[in-house]
Amino acid sequence: MTRGPSRRSRSAPAVLAGALLLALSGCAEPRQAPALDYPSAPDQRLPEAAAPAEDPAPGQPWAPIAGLADEAWLEEVAERTGIPQRALAAYSGAALLVAQTRPECGLGWNTLAGIGQVESHHGTYAEAQVEPDGQVAPAIIGIPLDGSPGLAEIPDTDGGTLDGDTEWDRAVGPMQFIPATWALYAQDGSRSGDSDPHHFDDAALTAAVYLCESGEDLSSDEGWVDAVVAYNQSVRYVNDVAARAQEYVSPDAPSAADSSY
């Protein structure tokens, strides 16, 4: 995988989000491909929201994000797209929460789903599964980012706490964050009191916040591309995510297919 040029200069931790894993993204073998331009932004859609809870838990201003989308909507969209329903609950809940807290961002659930498909097949890469509580098991951990061809060189930043590697950092979880980026942006989407990159709700909400920080207005072509380029500086990656995100909100959306990236 070759990392393409960013559309604007970024600091190293911000550039290196999750999409650095060759094994997940299918780029281990070089192949010939036509030159690509950055795509237009896919339509950004919000899910149907569930009825608000009458009595929020004391001291808890936000409910767990997995319960924010309407259950019937989740069932219909999961059936239509092939996205696992528990993963879809995380994407949609993250988009709904960000729509409340950062309405200027314009992030749709389908962009998060596009990234989740390319990064980890919605948390199902290598026989992993999304448990009913949102935990992804076994944990999805990438290869060492040791500067091999196509990889960044990132010495260990977390003592192996998140990725089990005390020499090199590795991308972790269904949204494939490296530990340094997780440390900067980690969110508690499950409202458990902790942030875990291997929990889909935490990972999806962290991705949503990160995208909004990186692109500002994701309803615009420039803002959307800036946000996804921050996840991975590959033009092909950005096109792949755009295609997936648009498919998921098209009336004739096919079942989720393996990423071509």
Side-chain angles (χ1 to χ4, degrees), residues 18 37 122 227 239 244 250 255 258:
D37 292 326
H122 306 302
N239 275 271
R244 295 289 183 265
S250 298
S255 296
D258 288 347

Side-chain angles (χ1 to χ4, degrees), residues 103-130:
E104 73 282 357
C105 175
L107 173 66
W109 70 267
N110 51 310
T111 286
L112 293 170
I115 290 173
Q117 163 61 23
V118 175
E119 294 292 353
S120 72
H121 300 179
H122 306 302
T124 65
Y125 176 77
E127 300 185 355
Q129 294 185 351
V130 188

Side-chain angles (χ1 to χ4, degrees), residues 74-90:
L74 288 170
E75 292 177 0
E76 186 276 323
V77 174
E79 175 67 23
R80 176 174 59 82
T81 62
I83 300 172
Q85 187 168 327
R86 187 60 184 79
L88 181 61

